[in-house]
């Protein structure tokens, strides 16, 4: 203490520190003396901590005395020493430095806060040789976050403070993120401060252009705003995040968007997650998707606008994630989305988020729920479009299995409310399926439409609801159309030259041929039955027309072409005979549909006589019955006729004539001359339709008196005692098989086991008898052979000489 009073006796490091301060603070740091201090610090590194402590002491004294010029000089000296000295003992010097920075940040003066931040940023960019085990940055994270939220009255000062806060947070991240021995910046206690501070500055764009210099005069740093700096800092933070840290970085974003109601406009939320998805490492993308899905589940009872915002953001994120990884739990994503879809349907029907458990305090608006449902369907489509083909197939099967159908074992709710719920669920799921199928591209139809999936999809086509049938047709069309021909058949017409359509036609592949052999009759039957529906409107006939044409272009060989012509002629007969009492519009629409299809198919087959016959009938209709052509039927105000039963035979397409002209060109005339009759299946009995006896009559009824072609057709097969007997036997066999299947499906396990055990025992006894007969040698003609010792002895026949029955030989 006594030595401290005399300058000559003071320690050298203190004298060197004192000498860097000028008499007048405006003169700035004394550079020559600063060089001496730096040289001394490098020569005697053990004194570095004392130099730092003394500088810190002087700075704190100057701050308290408001001598801010000396404060700036002290910080400049500290910065130079930090940049110059990288020795083993720098840790203690850093403690003094951080103490001084903290003192400046605690000050109420904006200039001192900015000065302290700038020094900290310089320190953060220094790579230290030795790690620190005890250093804490909690104060700095808190203080810099607070500066990011500055509300100073002066706009310029507020902007500078906020930018300093963002730079400080960026410095903390850089200093700690790569050193495992430092404080873990990814802990929730730090992330919950850093991330919201950056989002706050991203969210609030200050309009200070009027005060800033012109763009030509402004430097790069002056041009920068808190928003741009916050975005760059957020990108850097997320880019450094490892696999285990993604969750802690994303959770504060979700909480911030919740607390500030930023899901509903969804513009800022979408912008945030676009930054996130492009900043993180691509292989971590699926973690963000999972976080969003979990947040959607957590907000199941939030307003529909909030849920719709989350789903929209999810849709954007999924498209970006396509280039990286969508994770192994693809079906879980769709499961969550479909679950939210089902909940939304329940909310819209019950008017309560408690699904009937009580009166909800929130008012549910049906149009908002519908908006949410559309957002979910759009997201399902956008997510599916990012997946490879095999996963798209799995997703479509997954969605189809969720559709409640009368013919499936899935529970169908009873009552009017249950029917409404079932119908809305069916429509929404089929809409989702349509979204997935639109982006689905697969050259092999057997892969695209597996049997189980196609069976369920077609069973939905037999439902009474017209909207559901239309969705099924659109889904099938999107599968079949692999060359983009769909839009060319959007309107039904009888054009004279098919070349104007510029169709893309490829030869039918072997896989397509196999598909049509396996499923062709199933498709024809459903097209035939859909044509009989009275609730069909123009959209249904356009879809049926597109489907017929696309099958002809994409999947047709000669046999398929013949079957399609027979099918369309059978559809014409539906309208002629009108057993189902269809309206005049339905009947005219079927006639027009047949005319449009046969007009195009005749030009595709390029058989002149076929084209001539079709053209003659169309010309006759134009003169005598224009209401049988699409140009008069499929318009806004259809021009119809009620005297459809008094039409002459010249306006119809004749099966015998078509069979004759195509048979002469090499087509199967026998098959062409046989009228198409769909087969009866159990599916028709299970569907909610008229009895199948009314929809599909016997051939005798088909050859009824109302047919204008009755005299010219090939004679119908004669029904004799033998044919009836054969039909009864086949029916009995089918019934026996059905009973066996039903027994194995519904009988108790013990009963089935006992039955099978008895059968097995009987089979074993029969086998034992066979083996006993086989192994025993045949009797000798002379009875027995006496051995030398007088003992009777049987012949011993080798195994390879034995004669076994054919059934016993493998």
């Amino acid at each position: 203490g006594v030595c401290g009073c005399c300058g000559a006796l003071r320690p050298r490091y203190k004298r060197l520190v004192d000498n860097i301060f000028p008499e007048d603070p405006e003169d700035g740091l004394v550079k020559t003396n600063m060089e001496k201090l730096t040289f001394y610090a490098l020569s005697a590194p053990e004194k570095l901590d004392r130099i730092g402590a003394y500088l810190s002491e002087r700075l704190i004294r100057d701050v308290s005395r408001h001598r801010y010029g000396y404060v700036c000089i002290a910080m400049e000296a500290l910065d130079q020493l930090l940049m110059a000295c990288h020795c083993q003992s720098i840790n203690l010097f850093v403690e003094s430095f951080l103490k001084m920075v903290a003192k400046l940040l605690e000050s109420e003066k904006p200039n001192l806060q900015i000065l302290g931040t700038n020094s900290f940023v310089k320190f953060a960019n220094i790579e230290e040789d030795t790690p620190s085990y005890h250093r804490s940055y909690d104060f700095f994270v808190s203080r810099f976050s607070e500066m990011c939220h500055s509300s100073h009255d002066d706009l310029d000062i507020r902007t500078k403070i906020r930018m300093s806060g963002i730079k400080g947070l960026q410095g903390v991240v850089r200093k700690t993120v790569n050193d495992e021995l430092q404080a873990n910046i990814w802990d929730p206690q730090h992330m919950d401060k850093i991330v919201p501070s950056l989002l706050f500055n991203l969210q609030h764009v200050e309009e200070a252009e009027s005060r800033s210099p012109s763009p030509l005069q402004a430097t790069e740093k002056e041009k920068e705003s808190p928003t741009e700096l916050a975005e760059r800092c957020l990108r850097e933070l997320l880019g450094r995040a490892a696999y285990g840290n993604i969750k802690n970085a994303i959770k504060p974003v979700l909480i911030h968007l919740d607390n500030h109601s930023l899901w509903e406009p969804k513009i800022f939320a979408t912008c945030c997650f676009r930054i996130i998805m492009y900043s993180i490492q691509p292989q971590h993308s699926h973690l963000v998707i999972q976080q969003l899905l979990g947040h959607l589940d957590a907000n199941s009872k939030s307003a529909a606008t909030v849920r719709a915002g989350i789903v929209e953001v999810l849709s954007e994120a999924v498209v970006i994630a396509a280039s990286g990884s969508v994770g192994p739990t693809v079906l879980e994503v769709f499961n969550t989305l479909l679950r939210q879809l089902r909940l939304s349907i329940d909310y819209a029907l019950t008017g309560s988020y408690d699904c009937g458990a009580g009166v909800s305090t929130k008012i549910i608006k049906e149009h908002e729920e519908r908006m949410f449902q559309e957002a979910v369907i759009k997201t399902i489509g956008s997510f599916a479009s990012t997946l490879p083909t095999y996963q798209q197939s799995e997703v479509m099967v997954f969605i189809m299995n969720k559709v409640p159908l009368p013919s499936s074992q899935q529970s169908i709710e009873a009552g009017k409310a249950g029917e409404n719920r079932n119908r809305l669920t069916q429509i929404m799921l089929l809409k989702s399926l349509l979204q997935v199928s639109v982006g689905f591209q697969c050259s092999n139809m057997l892969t695209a439409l597996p049997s189980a999936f196609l069976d369920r999809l077609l069973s939905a086509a037999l439902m009474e609801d017209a909207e559901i049938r239309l969705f099924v047709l659109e889904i099938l069309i999107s599968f079949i159309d692999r060359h983009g021909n769909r839009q060319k058949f959007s309107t039904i017409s009888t054009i004279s030259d098919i070349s104007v359509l510029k169709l893309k036609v490829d030869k039918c592949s072997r896989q397509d041929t196999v598909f049509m052999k396996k499923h062709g009759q199933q498709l024809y039957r459903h097209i035939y039955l859909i044509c009989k529906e009275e609730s069909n409107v123009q959209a249904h006939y356009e879809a049926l027309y597109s489907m017929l044409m696309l099958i002809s272009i994409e999947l047709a060989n000669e046999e398929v072409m013949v079957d399609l012509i027979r099918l369309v002629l059978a559809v014409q007969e539906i309208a002629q005979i009108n057993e189902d009492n269809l309206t005049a519009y339905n009947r005219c629409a079927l006639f027009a549909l047949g005319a449009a299809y046969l007009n195009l198919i005749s030009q595709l087959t390029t058989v002149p006589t076929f084209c001539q016959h079709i053209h003659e009938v169309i010309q006759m209709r134009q003169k005598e019955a224009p209401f049988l052509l699409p140009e008069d039927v499929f318009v806004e105000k259809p021009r119809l006729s009620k005297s459809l039963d008094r039409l002459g035979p010249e306006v119809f397409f004749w099966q015998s004539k078509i069979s004759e002209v195509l048979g002469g060109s090499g087509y199967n005339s026998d098959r062409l001359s046989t009228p198409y009759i769909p087969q009866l299946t159990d599916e028709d009995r299970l569907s909610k339709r008229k009895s199948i006896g009314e929809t599909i009559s016997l051939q005798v009824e088909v050859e009824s008196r109302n047919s204008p072609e009755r005299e010219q057709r090939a004679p119908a097969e004669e029904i004799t005692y033998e044919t009836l007997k054969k039909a009864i036997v086949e029916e009995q066999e089918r019934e026996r098989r059905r009973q066996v299947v039903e027994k194995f499906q519904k009988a108790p396990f013990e009963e089935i086991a006992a039955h099978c055990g008895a059968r097995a025992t009987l089979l074993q006894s029969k086998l034992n008898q066979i083996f006993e007969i086989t192994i025993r040698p045949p009797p000798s003609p002379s009875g027995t052979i006496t051995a030398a010792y007088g003992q009777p002895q049987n012949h011993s026949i080798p195994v390879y000489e034995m004669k076994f029955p054919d059934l016993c030989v493998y």
Side-chain angles (χ1 to χ4, degrees):
V2 175
C3 294
C5 297
C6 179
L9 298 175
R10 297 182 74 195
R12 187 182 177 195
Y13 74 89
K14 285 190 177 182
R15 293 200 307 273
L16 290 171
V17 170
D18 290 336
N19 291 339
I20 66 174
F21 292 94
E23 291 292 331
D24 185 358
E26 292 185 2
D27 294 340
L29 185 68
V30 181
K31 292 184 179 180
T32 55
N33 292 338
M34 186 65 215
E35 290 174 0
K36 293 177 183 178
L37 177 62
T38 304
F39 180 77
Y40 177 76
L42 290 170
S43 304
E46 69 276 3
K47 301 290 185 182
L48 189 60
D49 58 327
R50 298 184 188 183
I51 294 170
Y54 184 57
L55 270 170
S56 175
E57 182 185 328
R58 283 203 57 148
L59 181 134
I60 292 170
R61 186 172 66 239
D62 290 337
V63 169
S64 61
R65 293 176 182 177
H66 304 289
R67 297 195 297 187
Y68 299 124
Y70 287 122
V71 170
C72 294
I73 291 171
M75 289 309 298
E76 186 180 351
L78 275 170
D79 292 344
Q80 290 192 24
L81 286 172
L82 268 175
M83 299 298 290
C85 302
H86 287 220
C87 57
Q88 295 284 337
S89 58
I90 198 174
N91 276 333
L92 295 176
F93 176 72
V94 170
E95 292 300 324
S96 301
F97 168 78
L98 292 177
K99 185 178 178 183
M100 294 163 71
V101 172
K103 185 68 178 177
L104 293 179
L105 293 176
E106 287 173 349
S107 170
E108 294 181 359
K109 296 285 183 181
N111 290 337
L112 293 185
Q113 294 174 14
I114 294 168
L115 179 65
T117 303
N118 291 338
S119 292
F120 182 84
V121 170
K122 290 176 184 176
F123 159 70
N125 291 326
I126 297 172
E127 292 186 9
E128 297 181 52
D129 295 334
T130 55
S132 173
Y133 298 93
H134 58 281
R135 199 179 297 162
S136 173
Y137 294 96
D138 292 5
F139 166 78
F140 296 99
V141 171
S142 300
R143 184 59 186 145
F144 289 138
S145 298
E146 189 179 342
M147 289 169 67
C148 288
H149 291 83
S150 171
S151 56
H152 199 279
D153 294 334
D154 191 309
L155 179 60
D156 285 339
I157 295 175
R158 182 166 73 236
T159 302
K160 289 178 181 177
I161 293 175
R162 288 186 180 181
M163 289 184 70
S164 292
I166 296 167
K167 289 176 181 176
L169 290 177
Q170 192 175 27
V172 173
V173 172
R174 286 178 179 175
K175 195 66 182 171
T176 59
V177 75
N178 290 325
D179 192 346
E180 295 180 359
L181 298 173
Q182 300 272 15
N184 189 1
I185 202 67
W186 300 106
D187 285 344
Q189 59 179 347
H190 299 311
M191 282 290 110
D192 290 346
K193 296 173 185 175
I194 294 173
V195 173
S197 302
L198 299 176
L199 293 178
F200 176 79
N201 284 278
L202 266 176
Q203 180 184 350
H204 293 84
V205 180
E206 302 290 356
E207 297 182 1
E209 285 80 2
S210 58
R211 294 192 174 195
S212 63
S214 65
L216 294 174
Q217 297 173 346
T219 64
E220 194 64 35
K221 287 189 176 180
E222 288 173 333
K223 287 181 186 177
E224 199 169 45
S225 66
T227 305
E228 294 167 351
L229 188 61
E231 180 179 340
R232 195 164 69 244
C233 184
L234 182 62
R235 288 183 185 277
E236 183 178 340
L237 175 70
L238 294 166
R240 294 172 180 266
Y243 182 87
N245 303 325
I246 293 289
K247 183 177 180 181
N248 289 345
I250 301 301
K251 190 175 180 182
V253 178
L254 299 173
I255 294 172
H256 181 84
L257 296 174
D258 284 343
N259 293 341
H260 295 274
S261 303
L262 295 171
W263 292 112
E264 294 177 39
K266 78 176 180 270
I267 298 170
F268 178 71
T270 304
C271 174
C272 281
F273 274 90
R274 196 177 287 124
I275 291 171
I276 290 169
M277 296 305 293
Y278 280 119
S279 301
I280 61 172
Q281 299 174 40
Q283 65 268 27
H284 300 159
S285 299
H286 68 279
L287 295 175
V288 181
I289 304 297
Q290 288 175 0
Q291 286 278 92
L292 280 168
L293 288 168
H295 197 66
L296 181 60
D297 275 340
N299 283 274
S300 291
K301 294 188 179 181
S302 299
T305 50
V306 173
R307 285 178 283 133
I310 298 174
V311 169
E312 290 277 358
V313 170
L314 183 63
S315 177
E316 289 274 344
V318 156
V319 174
I320 299 170
S323 59
S325 165
V326 290
T329 55
V330 171
L331 291 182
E332 186 58 35
V333 175
F334 291 94
N335 196 30
T336 302
L337 292 172
L338 293 178
R339 182 169 63 248
Q340 291 298 325
L341 199 59
R342 185 66 183 260
L343 282 173
S344 177
I345 292 169
D346 290 338
Y347 295 159
L349 287 172
T350 60
S352 167
Y353 287 121
D354 299 323
C355 298
V359 180
S360 176
T361 55
K362 297 178 183 176
I363 300 173
I364 292 180
K365 297 177 181 177
E366 193 172 343
H367 73 277
E368 290 182 353
E369 290 296 338
R370 198 176 301 116
M371 178 188 69
F372 168 73
Q373 291 161 12
E374 293 297 331
V376 171
I377 291 168
K378 176 190 169 189
T379 304
I380 287 173
S382 61
F383 191 13
S385 65
T386 66
L387 299 175
T389 303
Y390 76 94
Q391 282 188 327
Q392 286 182 337
S393 297
E394 290 177 1
V395 167
M396 288 186 285
V397 172
F398 180 76
I399 295 174
M400 194 65 226
N401 287 336
K402 296 271 185 185
V403 179
L405 297 172
S407 59
S408 67
Q409 296 180 357
Q410 195 164 342
S411 59
I412 296 292
E413 297 182 46
K416 189 168 183 181
E419 286 181 8
N420 289 337
R421 185 175 286 107
N422 288 331
R423 180 183 176 276
L424 284 173
T425 304
Q426 289 161 351
I427 288 173
M428 290 302 165
L429 290 176
L430 288 172
K431 265 189 180 181
S432 305
L433 188 59
L434 180 59
Q435 282 287 323
V436 179
S437 65
V438 165
F440 182 71
Q441 290 293 331
C442 183
S443 57
N444 189 349
M445 291 298 294
L446 284 169
T447 307
L449 291 170
S451 297
F453 174 79
L454 186 61
D455 290 344
R456 285 186 62 83
L457 182 62
L458 289 176
S459 64
L462 296 178
M463 301 186 74
E464 288 181 338
D465 193 282
E467 192 174 1
I468 291 175
R469 291 200 309 274
L470 186 58
F471 276 126
V472 173
L473 287 172
E474 291 292 343
I475 290 166
L476 286 169
I477 287 167
S478 64
F479 277 116
I480 297 170
D481 182 23
R482 292 168 293 181
H483 293 89
N485 291 314
R486 167 72 172 97
Q487 294 303 318
K488 296 165 185 175
F489 305 118
S490 55
T491 56
I492 309 178
S493 62
T494 53
I495 58 174
S496 57
D497 186 8
I498 197 173
S499 62
V500 298
L501 296 178
K502 296 180 181 177
L503 300 174
K504 297 176 183 176
V505 184
D506 281 344
K507 187 178 179 181
C508 182
S509 65
R510 189 179 64 83
Q511 292 91 343
D512 292 343
T513 303
V514 173
F515 174 80
M516 289 308 291
K517 280 187 177 295
K518 188 175 182 181
H519 298 295
Q521 295 301 323
Q522 196 179 8
L523 287 172
Y524 306 149
R525 188 171 65 87
H526 283 81
I527 292 171
Y528 180 86
L529 293 175
I530 292 172
C531 288
K532 295 168 75 74
E533 291 291 344
E534 192 175 350
S535 56
N536 288 341
V537 294
Q538 181 174 337
H540 291 85
Y541 296 113
E542 288 173 348
L544 286 165
Y545 174 67
S546 297
M547 189 167 173
L548 287 167
M549 286 308 306
L550 288 169
I551 292 175
S552 305
I553 292 171
E554 297 278 354
L555 305 171
N557 53 20
E558 183 182 316
E559 184 180 342
V560 172
M561 203 74 86
V562 167
D563 285 341
L564 287 171
I565 293 170
R566 291 172 60 225
L567 172 63
V568 171
L569 292 172
V571 169
Q572 176 186 257
E573 196 164 346
I574 293 174
Q576 285 175 320
I577 301 173
N578 197 24
E579 288 180 340
D580 298 282
N581 296 319
L582 297 175
T583 62
Y585 173 77
N586 292 128
R587 296 178 69 184
C588 289
L590 291 178
F591 283 127
L593 172 67
Y597 174 76
L598 289 173
N599 174 56
L600 285 187
I601 204 69
S602 64
Q603 297 180 54
L604 277 177
T605 54
T606 64
V607 178
T609 50
F610 184 31
C611 295
Q612 183 182 354
H613 171 64
I614 302 300
H615 186 62
E616 287 173 357
V617 175
I618 290 174
Q619 280 187 328
M620 191 60 66
R621 287 188 180 186
Q622 288 172 345
K623 292 177 183 177
E624 299 184 6
F627 47 83
L628 302 183
L629 292 173
E631 286 76 12
D632 276 30
V633 177
F634 301 117
V635 290
E636 189 175 349
K637 293 182 179 179
R639 294 179 286 277
L640 308 176
S641 172
K642 295 182 180 179
S643 59
L644 294 175
D645 294 326
R646 295 193 294 272
L647 294 170
E650 64 278 358
V651 296
F652 297 110
F653 300 101
W654 294 70
Q655 185 158 6
S656 57
K657 180 69 175 175
I658 292 174
S659 173
E660 178 186 336
V661 295
L662 286 179
S665 299
Y667 287 83
N668 189 339
S669 58
D670 293 339
R671 191 172 181 83
L672 272 168
S673 60
T674 307
Y676 173 76
I677 301 174
Q679 298 173 351
L680 171 64
T681 65
D682 292 336
E683 185 181 23
D684 301 306
R685 298 189 186 96
L686 290 167
S687 62
K688 294 182 179 180
R689 305 173 63 83
K690 301 172 185 177
S691 69
I692 207 67
E694 294 173 10
T695 58
I696 304 174
S697 59
L698 289 173
Q699 188 169 346
V700 179
E701 295 294 324
V702 173
E703 304 292 330
S704 64
R705 60 187 181 280
N706 295 326
S707 173
E709 207 179 356
R710 57 191 179 276
E711 297 92 356
Q712 309 237 354
R713 286 202 180 134
E717 182 183 352
E718 185 181 358
I719 298 178
T720 62
Y721 171 76
E722 290 298 329
T723 56
L724 287 174
K725 181 181 177 182
K726 184 178 179 182
I728 292 170
V729 170
E730 287 178 356
E731 183 62 31
Q732 288 174 345
E733 182 65 21
R734 276 198 295 270
E735 180 65 20
R736 189 186 66 80
R737 283 198 300 268
R738 188 191 63 77
Q739 289 175 356
V740 171
V741 171
E742 186 176 355
K743 179 178 180 180
F744 275 87
Q745 285 177 340
K746 298 180 179 179
F749 175 75
E750 293 78 8
E751 182 181 336
I752 296 172
H755 175 72
C756 293
R759 293 285 300 274
T761 305
L762 179 63
L763 179 61
Q764 186 63 43
S765 65
K766 293 289 184 186
L767 285 173
N768 290 339
Q769 292 177 13
I770 292 169
F771 286 130
E772 187 178 350
I773 295 169
T774 304
I775 295 172
R776 183 184 303 159
S780 174
S782 59
T784 58
I785 301 171
T786 304
Y789 298 98
Q791 297 294 332
Q793 181 178 322
N794 291 330
H795 278 296
S796 178
I797 303 173
V799 174
Y800 55 82
E801 291 183 1
M802 292 180 183
K803 300 294 183 183
F804 291 95
D806 291 341
L807 291 175
C808 295
V809 178
Y810 176 69

